[in-house]
């Protein structure tokens, strides 16, 4: 089901709107200023990811570039007078120029290292440091026109990986060989070669590729198909297992274009899929398709989660729905926001009251498990417009028999 919607109501790109967005939130947070150092946030607000500190007050802002200011001048959309070569000491000076000599300072405490926190505390002892991560992530939920362009291009790059699977998947090749082919296709199509997950100490290969019994190998780091990896050092992703005729194969390797991710999962089989797996996949597709039709501004994340279970009960597949690895308890989410990180807000999870707004981009990832090797998954990246949902991922969504 391919849904194309007009983008009426999507914001035009305006860099200063992003700065104003955080400034307008400062009063409601009772925060005197924020200091941002995380590369994703720097890129969002300034257009450069050079090592820097961005200081923002309710009425002003300034970028202090630690290294690479000559590159930052070329990359940023900020006026030159709003930038200077400096570091944390420069932040203290800027705050004094603004008349802010103490109070409450906001930082992204979920991602900055402890050593930076203590350094800021020592340099600015007159400030109480509070976490503003949620506020920044909440602002980033709503994508503008330029962000959607990048997300669509990232989805196009994903499709190059799908096409490579269809041309090279064969009996006897290893998961790692297939993953390398997909990764090569992505890179040649423009993938930047990295992805970002907002979770401390999270490492994986380029993404998930699993087959056969590895489809039921669920790592402790994630609540999804994760694969076995090459060793216990990084126990996620492709392994050296050989893929055989009749095996289910799930490919879930994200891409990145100009800082923006797309996320997609497709299920493949060498030869003719067993009838039980085709039936399993058909039920999964019905859940996914009908839920995409349900996605619109005003529904909550919990509404989306519960809708999928309502459909699963209606079509009689509840025993298999989201029961990964044979776990009697279903997964607690069916998707997540995607943008500068592959796992942004909102989380389409059980009990989450967050309301989906126009401009939100999410994934919908639906997984079914019947036995150790009978596992299927489909995942798409979806933009929510005022009129409804638009599929950004373009690879065909059927069970692919190669």
């Amino acid at each position: 089901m391919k849904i194309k919607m007009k983008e009426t109501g999507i914001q035009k790109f305006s860099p200063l709107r992003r700065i104003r967005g955080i400034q307008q939130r400062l009063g409601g947070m009772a925060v005197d200023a924020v200091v941002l150092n995380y590369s994703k946030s720097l890129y969002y607000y300034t257009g450069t990811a050079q090592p820097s500190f961005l200081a923002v007050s309710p009425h002003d802002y300034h970028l202090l570039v630690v290294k690479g200011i000559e590159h930052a001048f070329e990359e940023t959309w900020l006026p030159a007078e709003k930038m200077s070569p400096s570091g944390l000491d420069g932040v203290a000076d800027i705050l004094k120029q603004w008349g802010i000599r103490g109070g409450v300072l906001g930082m992204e405490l979920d991602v900055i290292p402890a050593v930076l926190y203590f350094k800021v505390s020592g340099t600015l002892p007159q400030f109480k440091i509070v976490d503003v991560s949620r506020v920044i992530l909440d602002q980033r939920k709503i994508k503008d026109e330029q962000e959607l362009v990048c997300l669509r291009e990232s989805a196009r790059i994903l499709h190059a990986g799908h096409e490579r699977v269809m041309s090279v998947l064969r009996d006897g090749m290893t998961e790692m060989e297939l993953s390398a082919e997909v990764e090569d296709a992505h890179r040649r199509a423009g993938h930047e070669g990295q992805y970002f997950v907002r979770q401390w100490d999270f490492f994986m290969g380029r993404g998930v590729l699993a087959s056969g019994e590895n489809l039921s190998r669920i790592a402790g780091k994630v609540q999804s198909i994760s694969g076995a990896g090459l060793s216990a050092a990084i126990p996620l992703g492709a392994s050296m297992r050989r893929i055989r005729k009749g095996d289910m194969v799930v490919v879930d390797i994200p891409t990145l274009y100009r800082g923006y991710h797309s996320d997609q999962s497709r299920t493949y089989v060498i030869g003719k899929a067993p009838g039980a797996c085709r039936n399993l996949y058909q039920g999964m597709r019905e859940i996914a398709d009908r839920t995409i039709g349900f996605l619109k501004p005003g529904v909550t994340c919990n509404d989306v989660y519960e809708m999928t279970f309502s459909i699963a009960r209606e079509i009689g597949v509840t025993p298999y729905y989201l029961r990964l690895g044979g776990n009697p308890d279903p997964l607690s989410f069916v998707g997540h926001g995607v943008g500068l990180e592959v796992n942004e807000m909102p989380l389409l999870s059980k009990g989450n009251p967050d309301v989906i707004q126009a401009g939100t981009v999410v994934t919908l990832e639906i997984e079914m498990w019947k036995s150790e090797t009978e596992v299927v998954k489909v995942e798409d990246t979806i933009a929510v417009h005022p009129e409804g949902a638009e599929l950004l991922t373009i690879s065909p969504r059927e069970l692919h028999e190669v």
Side-chain angles (χ1 to χ4, degrees):
M1 181 172 60
K2 183 74 173 178
I3 304 172
K4 280 287 186 181
M5 310 301 298
K6 292 189 300 181
E7 293 178 18
T8 306
I10 300 302
Q11 292 181 342
K12 299 283 188 183
F13 169 65
S14 170
L16 290 184
R17 183 189 291 125
R18 297 183 183 181
I19 298 284
R20 287 195 298 268
I22 190 66
Q23 288 176 323
Q24 291 164 2
R25 289 165 168 81
L26 291 182
M29 294 186 290
V31 170
D32 297 287
V34 297
V35 174
L36 305 177
N37 177 251
Y38 179 48
S39 63
K40 301 300 102 188
S41 296
L42 291 171
Y43 184 69
Y44 178 74
Y45 289 110
T46 74
T48 182
Q50 300 296 334
S52 308
F53 291 92
L54 175 65
V56 183
S57 77
H59 307 293
D60 213 337
Y61 64 93
H62 199 87
L63 182 68
L64 300 111
V65 185
V66 178
K67 290 182 180 179
I69 193 167
E70 67 278 12
H71 305 303
F73 273 125
E74 295 175 357
E75 296 163 355
T76 187
W77 46 63
L78 300 184
E81 63 270 19
K82 295 295 185 181
M83 300 171 58
S84 59
S86 188
L88 193 53
D89 290 340
V91 171
D93 293 338
I94 285 291
L95 293 177
K96 288 178 183 177
Q97 289 178 31
W98 294 341
I100 304 173
R101 299 182 178 275
V104 179
L105 188 70
M107 298 189 74
E108 293 176 280
L109 298 186
D110 69 323
V111 289
I112 67 169
V115 66
L116 177 59
Y117 174 86
F118 287 117
K119 188 173 182 180
V120 174
S121 297
T123 305
L124 302 168
Q126 67 275 38
F127 287 90
K128 175 186 177 182
I129 302 175
V130 300
D131 186 23
V132 295
S133 303
R134 170 95 189 189
V135 174
I136 289 168
L137 288 170
D138 189 64
Q139 182 180 358
R140 277 174 34 190
K141 283 193 302 189
I142 310 303
K143 306 305 191 282
D144 62 34
E145 205 169 55
Q146 178 172 290
E147 291 177 293
L148 284 171
V149 168
C150 293
L151 286 158
R152 287 194 181 93
E153 184 62 14
S154 188
R156 182 197 65 79
I157 295 169
L158 275 174
H159 184 59
H162 162 75
E163 290 182 316
R164 183 69 66 86
V165 174
M166 296 297 291
S167 66
V168 304
L169 179 57
R170 66 185 186 278
D171 183 35
M173 77 184 310
T174 66
E175 291 177 353
M176 181 53 64
E177 287 172 331
L178 182 59
S179 183
E181 292 281 357
V182 174
E183 295 164 38
D184 178 73
H186 285 166
R187 288 290 274 160
R188 290 177 184 275
H191 172 42
E192 294 188 77
Q194 184 58 275
Y195 63 89
F196 295 88
V197 174
R198 202 178 181 99
Q199 180 179 336
W200 181 79
D201 200 27
F202 181 92
F203 295 99
M204 185 166 56
R206 294 303 90 199
V208 168
L209 191 150
S211 65
E213 65 275 6
N214 284 347
L215 291 167
S216 293
R217 175 78 175 252
I218 312 301
K221 281 281 189 181
V222 295
Q223 293 185 67
S224 184
I225 294 170
S226 57
L230 292 176
S231 77
I234 305 179
L236 304 94
S239 75
M240 296 306 295
R241 181 189 184 276
R242 293 197 179 276
I243 304 168
R244 297 300 184 189
K245 187 174 181 180
D247 284 346
M248 299 292 103
V249 182
V250 169
V251 178
D252 181 2
I253 302 177
T255 52
L256 184 72
Y257 176 78
R258 295 193 175 182
Y260 286 86
H261 300 79
S262 280
D263 203 3
Q264 169 181 288
S265 299
R266 294 293 184 264
T267 303
Y268 307 86
V269 61
I270 300 175
K272 195 72 173 173
C277 285
R278 287 200 299 273
N279 292 337
L280 200 65
Y281 194 90
Q282 182 179 354
M284 179 181 68
R285 268 293 305 274
E286 182 169 351
I287 295 170
D289 291 352
R290 289 171 60 180
T291 303
I292 291 169
F294 175 75
L295 272 170
K296 59 183 179 296
V299 303
T300 69
C301 293
N302 181 66
D303 291 338
V304 177
Y305 181 84
E306 294 298 340
M307 171 58 71
T308 69
F309 275 90
S310 174
I311 301 167
R313 287 191 294 269
E314 178 187 331
I315 64 178
V317 297
T318 307
Y320 316 121
Y321 182 54
L322 301 185
R323 315 279 173 166
L324 287 194
N327 192 329
D329 298 319
L331 296 177
S332 61
F333 76 101
V334 292
H336 52 82
V338 63
L340 288 169
E341 288 156 316
V342 79
N343 61 332
E344 294 191 346
M345 290 169 55
L347 185 64
L348 304 181
S349 60
K350 183 177 183 178
N352 186 355
D354 287 356
V355 176
I356 294 173
Q357 304 170 61
T360 304
V361 176
V362 296
T363 69
L364 182 67
E365 51 181 301
I366 304 295
E367 308 173 57
M368 301 273 271
W369 187 96
K370 189 173 183 181
S371 71
E372 185 182 41
T373 59
E374 293 175 299
V375 185
V376 293
K377 181 179 181 182
V378 65
E379 178 182 16
D380 287 284
T381 299
I382 303 161
V384 181
H385 299 309
E387 305 90 344
E390 175 197 357
L391 277 171
L392 299 183
T393 38
I394 60 175
S395 301
R397 302 171 65 242
E398 64 263 17
L399 176 60
H400 297 282
E401 297 173 321
V402 181

